[in-house]
Amino acid sequence: MTKPLIVTFAGGPEGLWTIESITAVTGESLATAQRLAVVEGEAHHAAQSSWRLRGATSNSRYADRHEATNLRSQQEGLNRSRATMAALIPIRKTVAWWDLAQDERREIFEERSRHMAIGTEYLPAIARRLHHCREFGEPFDFLTWFEFAPEDAPAFDDLVSRLRSTPEWQYVDWEVDIRLSRR
Ligand code: HEM
C-alpha cells in the first residue's frame, strides 16, 4: 500500500464542497457549516472552521486477496469530473467492537454483514476513501468519504440503508451523515 495520507475535513466558511445537509443518524450531530474543505497533507490550520476532523488512509484490515483484487479492478478514483456529489460519514464503533478479536470482527463485517459484497454492487458509480482516526484520539473512529454523480444519489441512499441494517451496524454508536455538492 502507498504511504498513509493524512486528510483533514474542515466544516466552515471555506472549501470546495457546499454542505447540503448534516444528519445525525446515531448520537449527536455536528454544528452546521456552509462549506467543507478537504485538505490532504500534514498541517491544516483553518482559523475559522466550526469543526475539524482528521484521519489517515491505512492498510486494509479485512479484505482477503481475492476481495482486494476484485475491489481494485472495479473501483474508480476520487475527483472524477462528473462526481459532483459527495458524502462524509464519520463513524464511531462501540467498545464491544474494539474488544473483539480480529477474526471475530471479520466474521461480523463480511461473513454476516456482507459489507464488501454489498458495497461492490455499487462500483464503479460510488468512489470511496476510508480514513482511520481512532489512533489520533479523534472523536470518531472512521471518516468515510464517497463521491458520485447526481444520477447515482438514489443508489447511494440505497447502499447506506442496506449497510445500516446489517449486524455490523449494531456496533456503530455514533454516525453523522453529511451530504455535499460542488459545481
Ligand atoms: C461504495 C461501496 C462500498 C465499498 C465497496 C466498501 C468497501 C469497504 C472495504 C473493502 C472496507 C474494508 C477495508 C479493509 O480491508 O480494512 C470497508 C470498511 C469500512 N466501510 Fe465500506 N464500503 C462501501 C460503502 C460504505 C458506506 C456507504 C459506509 C458508511 C455508511 C461504509 C463504512 C465503512 C466503515 C466504517 C469501514 C471500516 C470498518 C472497520 O474497519 O471496522 N462503507 N468498506
Side-chain angles (χ1 to χ4, degrees), residues 111-154:
E111 275 67 39
R112 291 179 49 205
S113 301
R114 316 296 297 158
H115 185 126
M116 291 181 280
I118 292 171
T120 305
E121 291 177 36
Y122 298 83
L123 303 179
I126 313 295
R128 52 178 275 276
R129 190 165 70 194
L130 175 64
H131 311 82
H132 289 251
C133 39
R134 180 172 157 78
E135 289 81 354
F136 291 174
E138 284 276 312
F140 293 93
D141 294 334
F142 306 98
L143 304 173
T144 67
W145 175 258
F146 308 92
E147 293 179 3
F148 43 89
E151 61 268 28
D152 295 315

Side-chain angles (χ1 to χ4, degrees), residues 101-120:
Q102 186 65 16
D103 60 337
E104 295 170 313
R105 286 196 286 263
R106 155 80 202 192
E107 160 82 15
I108 295 161
F109 178 83
E110 193 59 22
E111 275 67 39
R112 291 179 49 205
S113 301
R114 316 296 297 158
H115 185 126
M116 291 181 280
I118 292 171
T120 305

Side-chain angles (χ1 to χ4, degrees), residues 3-54:
K3 230 176 133 204
L5 175 69
I6 295 178
V7 183
T8 303
F9 296 89
E14 301 170 353
L16 174 69
W17 296 92
T18 300
I19 298 180
E20 302 290 350
S21 62
I22 302 182
T23 307
V25 180
T26 303
E28 63 187 43
S29 194
L30 289 167
T32 51
Q34 298 297 308
R35 303 191 72 88
L36 179 82
V38 182
V39 183
E40 297 182 352
E42 190 55 73
H44 177 59
H45 306 286
Q48 295 178 42
S49 51
S50 61
W51 43 264
R52 258 195 298 158
L53 301 170
R54 200 168 66 107

Side-chain angles (χ1 to χ4, degrees), residues 132-175:
H132 289 251
C133 39
R134 180 172 157 78
E135 289 81 354
F136 291 174
E138 284 276 312
F140 293 93
D141 294 334
F142 306 98
L143 304 173
T144 67
W145 175 258
F146 308 92
E147 293 179 3
F148 43 89
E151 61 268 28
D152 295 315
F156 185 73
D157 287 337
D158 182 59
L159 165 64
V160 290
S161 88
R162 285 175 70 187
L163 288 176
R164 284 176 185 146
S165 68
T166 62
E168 183 193 353
W169 250 255
Q170 288 167 16
Y171 294 89
V172 172
D173 68 359
W174 192 11
E175 178 177 7

